[in-house]
Amino acid sequence: MIMGPLLTIVHVLAAVLLLGPVTVAVSQFQVQALKAHEGDTAAGGAARVLYRITQTYGMLSLLVPLVGFAIMFTGNYWHEGRFHTSLLLSIIGWALLLFVIMPRQKTMMGTLRLLPEDELTHDFQVADWKKAKSQLAMFGGTFSLLWVVTAILMMLPRIMGQFARVATSTSEKRHARTHARFLTQMRGI
């Protein structure tokens, strides 16, 4: 019985600690890479750090959907479509990161000659830097949006439960005030 809550803790911590840095890195990398292309050496250093964050934390972030899938076996989660949708969105997000964002970042880094020598396996080329920046920003934004939607889906019942409690509480208070007014009016008759 302790496995479910333990996996949930690992899942949430992995999402926060691994996806947070990746989301920031994919949103900032292309800005710094373009500045580096234009001659800003400090931006080159920033691009290198953001690239490494994306590479390292991006690979480790696979833990999030894997643990999420494992959680499905610890309780009665198979009947809730939000969990299936969340898993699907997180797999799409991770695939977008692995097969689109990371290779494009690597191409930019290779063109800038900022990759380690052992990774400079061929001649990297970026034909249009502004277009490459825009496309990478679009894919990074899509990646981030997928994770935001996934987080909302995971939290939706709790959020809706809070709204229901507030609405019920407000309704009960309103009913009590109306009842008190009615009793006051009845006493006056």
Side-chain angles (χ1 to χ4, degrees):
M1 273 312 201
I2 195 160
M3 195 56 132
L6 181 63
L7 283 174
T8 301
I9 290 169
V10 170
H11 180 64
V12 171
L13 285 174
V16 171
L17 297 175
L18 301 176
L19 290 172
V22 174
T23 302
V24 171
V26 301
S27 71
Q28 291 298 308
F29 170 81
Q30 59 277 357
V31 174
Q32 298 303 320
L34 180 61
K35 286 181 184 176
H37 172 70
E38 294 168 348
D40 185 340
T41 55
R48 182 179 282 136
V49 169
L50 293 167
Y51 173 75
R52 286 292 169 209
I53 289 171
T54 303
Q55 297 294 308
T56 305
Y57 284 76
M59 294 304 287
L60 293 173
S61 72
L62 178 60
L63 184 64
V64 177
L66 288 177
V67 174
F69 186 69
I71 290 171
M72 298 281 284
F73 292 97
T74 66
N76 192 16
Y77 300 112
W78 289 102
H79 71 282
E80 291 193 52
R82 68 186 177 102
F83 293 118
H84 298 276
T85 304
S86 294
L87 276 170
L88 178 64
L89 292 176
S90 62
I91 290 168
I92 291 169
W94 197 79
L96 181 64
L97 179 69
L98 183 66
F99 299 114
V100 178
I101 295 171
M102 290 169 122
R104 287 174 185 248
Q105 283 187 354
K106 185 172 185 173
T107 299
M108 289 177 126
M109 291 293 288
T111 303
L112 292 169
R113 309 291 297 163
L114 293 174
L115 289 173
E117 288 299 319
D118 62 325
E119 290 186 43
L120 290 170
T121 55
H122 64 280
D123 189 31
F124 293 94
Q125 286 277 327
V126 174
D128 183 347
W129 276 87
K130 291 193 189 242
K131 182 178 178 182
K133 175 188 175 274
S134 296
Q135 288 178 343
L136 205 45
M138 175 188 67
F139 291 125
T142 303
F143 171 79
S144 299
L145 180 62
L146 286 168
W147 287 109
V148 168
V149 170
T150 299
I152 290 170
L153 282 172
M154 299 305 286
M155 298 304 297
L156 197 57
R158 287 201 168 116
I159 293 168
M160 295 309 289
Q162 291 293 332
F163 286 140
R165 278 194 286 281
V166 169
T168 302
S169 174
T170 304
S171 176
E172 289 171 356
K173 288 176 186 174
R174 194 173 329 131
H175 178 70
R177 284 193 302 266
T178 304
H179 186 66
R181 270 185 271 163
F182 174 74
L183 290 177
T184 303
Q185 289 172 352
M186 292 303 287
R187 285 186 198 132
I189 294 180

